[in-house]
Amino acid sequence: MWPRSADWLYTGLDPRLSRYNEDNFQFYLVRMLERITLCMEEHIGLDLDDDKRLLPALLLFNPIEDPLWSDLGSSDGIGFTEHARNTLKDAQELLVNYVELKSTDPERAKKVYEFAVETVSALPRPASTLLNPAIDEGPDKLATTVSHLIEFYTQGLIEARRWRGNARAKKLAVRLRAITEYYTDHPVRVGKDSRIPSGAYVECLYSLFEVIGLQAHFFRYALFAKNIPSNHPELKKSFEALRSL
């Protein structure tokens, strides 16, 4: 069961500043899910049993599958995702070089491997969450993880660019619409005032952008989510995910 309140246990820490505890990613994730859930409970009246209370928040904040580079600002992350992929490709070349050298020039191979580790160690979360354990396991595991991340970020960039804009903000708005319609009786209304959030759904979206640290104009993305048809692929996928929780 998830802890009822990570805020009660660790007061005064901004969850957007993930560098405060690099060794405790699980706490960072749980605390973000807690803050997101509190937003939904306050604004749209989400009310689930303790064993499922934080699960809908995973649809809105999953830093492994849907990365937001929270250590580096609050954009949608496309630019740094591309940088991270290129950094990983550099490391991949070094790891190939390491394999070629280790039987003929062990000393040089060791230096090449150390440089590969130094290269990937420069990447923050969520990449470091997967890379650090791989480094501990050794060259073979690191090479496998680097290869998987390159493919993952490449596919992520393709998908993000299909959205034509801030993919992170659009997906979050659509997924919040699904949560609102699935769990509550609140209609998904946007209103006409683009400066002040009005209505349960819009107020919740505005608060979620604040909590996650995503700089995006609430009105634009609320309007986008409201106007998409019920058979929109992202909306359908969100309902399927909620039914599986």
Side-chain angles (χ1 to χ4, degrees), residues 93-103 109-110 112-113 139:
E93 289 183 11
L94 290 166
L95 290 166
V96 169
N97 196 12
Y98 160 78
V99 172
E100 293 170 347
L101 288 170
K102 66 179 182 178
S103 61
K110 180 181 177 183
V112 169
Y113 178 68

Side-chain angles (χ1 to χ4, degrees), residues 144-163:
T144 300
T145 303
V146 165
S147 177
H148 287 166
L149 282 175
I150 289 170
E151 176 63 22
F152 176 71
Y153 290 147
T154 298
Q155 292 303 315
L157 285 166
I158 292 170
E159 180 185 355
R161 286 171 176 143
R162 284 197 190 115
W163 284 84

Side-chain angles (χ1 to χ4, degrees), residues 61-96:
F61 187 80
N62 188 329
I64 299 298
E65 295 180 6
D66 191 17
L68 175 67
W69 300 96
S70 54
D71 291 325
L72 299 170
S74 47
S75 68
D76 61 353
I78 289 178
F80 194 80
T81 300
E82 189 167 43
H83 166 74
R85 183 190 59 178
N86 293 338
T87 298
L88 290 164
K89 285 183 176 181
D90 291 342
Q92 188 176 52
E93 289 183 11
L94 290 166
L95 290 166
V96 169

Side-chain angles (χ1 to χ4, degrees), residues 36 43 49 103 130 189:
I36 289 166
H43 294 291
D49 293 339
S103 61
L130 301 174
R189 293 174 180 159

Side-chain angles (χ1 to χ4, degrees), residues 7-80:
D7 276 326
W8 180 81
L9 293 172
Y10 300 91
T11 57
L13 296 174
D14 187 338
R16 289 170 292 180
L17 304 177
S18 62
R19 288 195 183 279
Y20 64 79
N21 192 338
E22 286 291 347
D23 296 326
N24 197 342
F25 177 77
Q26 184 178 15
F27 161 66
Y28 169 66
L29 174 59
V30 172
R31 193 169 189 278
M32 286 297 290
L33 296 178
E34 173 73 19
R35 288 283 299 274
I36 289 166
T37 299
L38 287 171
C39 276
M40 292 192 289
E41 289 174 343
E42 177 182 354
H43 294 291
I44 64 172
L46 187 69
D47 185 17
L48 299 177
D49 293 339
D50 280 355
D51 60 340
K52 292 188 176 181
R53 177 174 169 260
L54 299 189
L55 295 181
L58 279 169
L59 193 63
L60 303 176
F61 187 80
N62 188 329
I64 299 298
E65 295 180 6
D66 191 17
L68 175 67
W69 300 96
S70 54
D71 291 325
L72 299 170
S74 47
S75 68
D76 61 353
I78 289 178
F80 194 80

Side-chain angles (χ1 to χ4, degrees), residues 22 27 48 61-62 64 70-71 81 105 108 118 124 128 144-145 180-181 184 188 191 196 203 209 214 229 234 240:
E22 286 291 347
F27 161 66
L48 299 177
F61 187 80
N62 188 329
I64 299 298
S70 54
D71 291 325
T81 300
D105 193 344
R108 190 176 167 203
E118 182 181 340
S128 61
T144 300
T145 303
T180 303
E181 292 179 349
T184 80
V188 176
I196 302 173
E203 289 175 357
F209 283 171
L214 185 59
E234 185 66 26
E240 289 170 6

Side-chain angles (χ1 to χ4, degrees), residues 159 163 171 174-175 228 232-239:
E159 180 185 355
W163 284 84
K171 286 194 284 187
V174 171
R175 292 171 185 181
I228 61 172
H232 187 280
E234 185 66 26
L235 191 60
K236 289 175 64 178
K237 185 169 68 174
S238 298
F239 280 121

